Amino acid sequence: MLQPTTTNTILPDELIDDILLRLPVRSLLRFKSVCKSWKTLITHPKFANIHLRSSTTSEDTSMANKQLIFFTKIEPYVILTYNLKQLFENPSTCAEPVISSFLKMKKYGNYGSCNGLLCLFDRSQCRLKLFNPSIRVKSKKSPQVFPPLDWTLRYYGFGYDQINDKYKFLVVLKDYDNGETLTKIYTFGEDSCKTIQNFPCNSNDSSGEYVSGTLNWIFNKVDDVNGVRQKSILSFDLNKETHREILLPPKDGGKVHRDSKLCVLSNCLCNIVYEESHWVVWLMKQIGVVESWTKLMIIPYEKFRSSSLPFNPIVEPLFISENGVVLLGDKLASKFVLYNLNTGELVYPSLSWEHPLYPRIQLESLVYPRW
């Protein structure tokens, strides 16, 4: 551990380190002004990594160091972050954003997040940019990882290779003139962009879900024997830079109303299955282990259907608390809702801004996008 230089202190350096590591990011940012040694400690990459590991190894259902973050669909086109704990504990009180990031967001697309970093795509220059909204710092470099404009982006994902301490971006491009596809993986800090051979992604969702060092898509495949189209999970290992197939959870025998999709809850990969009258959310406790699929929740459509919107709504689970309350993004209403799995109660928390774009739960971190 990096030790601050202290003089005439009452507490030993080791205890000060331990106390600071337990504090939220917003407190640590204020404490940088206490003294020069604290600023040196808090801004050091080693401290940021240890603080990050401490945050991610805490209880999955804990709201500490977590925030709701989204882009705004209309002017002024900003990134807003809200205190997650406040939304759960005081939903009737209008929540104000704890951070507003003015980055001319109309020109950026969100290509994923990991460890408190957003991977943004500058549409005007076709370049990537990393941004940490907690410390309001963006990367100085803007790598251009895309070939000429005749290629179209099809799939992408941003994540962390925890073995090598590297952040990586994977992109699949397609030339619609000849049907050719090209898969590239860019490693931040190395300025290297390698080609991945035989990447078989054929998915309805462009963005890969990051969890435990992997990027994941539901992809379509055709059985070589009988020609039947099947669905499975394509999982890409960011360390080995290889892919494998993972089976989806078993069907309940009910009629599948619509497609299924992936999300991440409690640091685990989840599969949302759209059945005739309800959603079923399955959670994979251990990534890649099919036997670890567990039915997490069932949510009836009728809870969200209104007379003006008779068709089935679309909701996205974002976070589940330890007492069984789920934060959902209601896409049709462009709002958020708290759904109590035990009582069936719905509560719409009051936010100062509605109409969210790219909503997600993000970990607050001190990770500096230095690449």
Side-chain angles (χ1 to χ4, degrees):
M1 181 59 172
L2 180 72
Q3 297 290 342
T5 302
T6 58
T7 57
N8 300 321
T9 183
I10 298 176
L11 298 176
D13 291 342
E14 293 81 4
L15 185 55
I16 292 177
D17 285 358
D18 187 59
I19 293 173
L20 292 177
L21 284 171
R22 297 171 185 268
L23 296 178
V25 170
R26 286 190 295 275
S27 297
L28 291 170
L29 294 179
R30 293 198 306 270
F31 291 163
K32 288 197 303 181
S33 61
V34 171
C35 61
K36 186 176 180 179
S37 61
W38 279 28
K39 181 179 181 180
T40 300
L41 172 68
I42 293 170
T43 56
H44 197 283
K46 186 175 181 180
F47 180 88
N49 286 336
I50 296 175
H51 184 271
L52 177 67
R53 287 198 299 270
S54 176
S55 300
T56 54
T57 55
S58 60
E59 286 294 323
D60 293 336
T61 53
S62 170
M63 299 178 197
N65 293 314
K66 293 186 178 73
Q67 56 194 1
L68 170 66
I69 183 169
F70 58 85
F71 289 40
T72 58
K73 290 183 181 179
I74 58 178
E75 291 184 358
Y77 303 112
V78 295
I79 299 176
L80 300 178
T81 60
Y82 287 83
N83 185 290
L84 186 62
K85 189 174 182 180
Q86 180 184 351
L87 298 184
F88 275 80
E89 296 183 351
N90 302 294
S92 61
T93 302
C94 185
E96 296 292 337
V98 293
I99 301 175
S100 299
S101 303
F102 292 86
L103 271 181
K104 297 181 179 178
M105 294 316 302
K106 190 176 182 179
K107 64 180 282 190
Y108 287 107
N110 184 11
Y111 278 10
S113 71
C114 175
N115 294 345
L117 294 176
L118 293 176
C119 183
L120 306 177
F121 175 62
D122 187 330
R123 297 187 180 97
S124 63
Q125 299 182 14
C126 294
R127 293 180 179 270
L128 295 177
K129 179 77 70 174
L130 296 185
F131 176 64
N132 185 332
S134 297
I135 58 178
R136 299 187 185 184
V137 175
K138 61 181 177 180
S139 56
K140 294 181 179 179
K141 293 185 177 181
S142 299
Q144 189 171 29
V145 299
F146 305 100
L149 295 178
D150 53 347
W151 291 83
T152 302
L153 183 146
R154 288 292 289 117
Y155 311 105
Y156 55 85
F158 170 68
Y160 179 57
D161 172 4
Q162 45 206 350
I163 304 299
N164 297 308
D165 188 26
K166 298 289 184 181
Y167 290 86
K168 298 181 178 181
F169 178 77
L170 182 138
V171 60
V172 180
L173 303 124
K174 186 170 184 177
D175 185 341
Y176 282 96
D177 290 337
N178 57 27
E180 183 182 353
T181 59
L182 179 67
T183 303
K184 294 281 189 178
I185 186 163
Y186 177 81
T187 302
F188 289 90
E190 293 184 356
D191 290 330
S192 66
C193 195
K194 295 190 294 185
T195 300
I196 303 297
Q197 301 294 338
N198 303 318
F199 191 73
C201 199
N202 180 18
S203 173
N204 294 328
D205 293 318
S206 298
S207 178
E209 294 290 343
Y210 170 77
V211 61
S212 301
T214 65
L215 294 171
N216 303 273
W217 297 260
I218 290 181
F219 80 115
N220 306 306
K221 66 173 186 175
V222 178
D223 192 294
D224 294 333
V225 177
N226 53 31
V228 175
R229 184 179 294 273
Q230 297 178 335
K231 293 184 180 297
S232 187
I233 294 175
L234 178 69
S235 185
F236 183 81
D237 188 308
L238 288 166
N239 169 239
K240 298 177 181 178
E241 298 185 353
T242 57
H243 61 267
R244 62 169 172 163
E245 178 184 348
I246 300 175
L247 295 179
L248 288 166
K251 294 182 179 180
D252 282 340
K255 180 182 176 182
V256 176
H257 182 72
R258 282 203 301 248
D259 211 339
S260 64
K261 65 171 297 183
L262 298 178
C263 70
V264 176
L265 292 171
S266 302
N267 295 329
C268 294
L269 190 65
C270 292
N271 179 219
I272 310 170
V273 181
Y274 299 90
E275 299 206 358
E276 189 171 12
S277 61
H278 56 274
W279 296 282
V280 180
V281 181
W282 292 81
L283 179 144
M284 179 174 272
K285 293 184 176 180
Q286 186 175 351
I287 187 69
V289 179
V290 177
E291 293 76 16
S292 69
W293 279 118
T294 304
K295 190 180 294 185
L296 182 64
M297 66 182 87
I298 298 176
I299 305 176
Y301 293 153
E302 62 184 21
K303 286 287 183 179
F304 300 87
R305 184 186 288 131
S306 66
S307 57
S308 60
L309 297 172
F311 47 86
N312 292 331
I314 302 174
V315 299
E316 179 182 6
L318 299 171
F319 184 82
I320 181 169
S321 69
E322 58 186 5
N323 58 351
V325 178
V326 188
L327 176 66
L328 302 163
D330 187 337
K331 292 188 176 182
L332 288 181
S334 290
K335 293 183 177 180
F336 298 99
V337 59
L338 295 170
Y339 176 61
N340 191 312
L341 294 174
N342 302 310
T343 66
E345 180 186 13
L346 292 181
V347 176
Y348 286 85
S350 177
L351 276 70
S352 60
W353 195 281
E354 296 181 350
H355 305 292
L357 186 64
Y358 309 129
R360 63 177 64 240
I361 302 302
Q362 176 136 318
L363 187 70
E364 292 182 285
S365 83
L366 295 166
V367 176
Y368 192 92
R370 60 188 182 278
W371 309 279

